[in-house]
Amino acid sequence: MRFAQPDGKIGHAEIKIGDSHIMLADEFPEMGARSPQSLGGSPVSILLYVEDVDAQAKLAVAAGAKVVRPVKDQFYGDRSGSVLRIPSDTNGTLQHT
């Protein structure tokens, strides 16, 4: 779902991952909604558990994401890492248990 304002800015959008909805919008300072660029980086990080972390990391990079921390086996038992900085400067982690 996506609702654009008359000036082209996105007032509301939703994506669904599994059974979870994530709501997004462009920057609207008058509503307290700031972009990562205005803040000098994002205060938000999203962690997704996926079946094949290596394949998903490759797909994210192919879509323009930048690897910040490569995928590897972690000391706590998960294969995780692959912290990706998406072009909007939002941080994301892909992880598999």
Side-chain angles (χ1 to χ4, degrees), residues 1 10 13-14 17 19 28-29 35 38 42-43 49 66-67 76 81 84:
M1 174 186 341
I10 303 302
E14 291 184 21
I17 300 172
D19 62 357
F28 286 90
S35 73
S38 291
S42 178
Y49 277 92
K66 176 184 168 191
V67 175
Y76 46 85
L84 305 171

Side-chain angles (χ1 to χ4, degrees), residues 38-77:
S38 291
L39 297 172
S42 178
V44 175
S45 180
I46 298 172
L47 187 143
L48 296 175
Y49 277 92
V50 296
E51 289 297 318
D52 185 342
V53 68
D54 295 281
Q56 293 300 316
K58 286 179 185 174
L59 284 173
V61 169
K66 176 184 168 191
V67 175
V68 176
R69 187 170 49 100
V71 174
K72 68 177 186 176
D73 293 330
Q74 302 296 329
F75 71 91
Y76 46 85

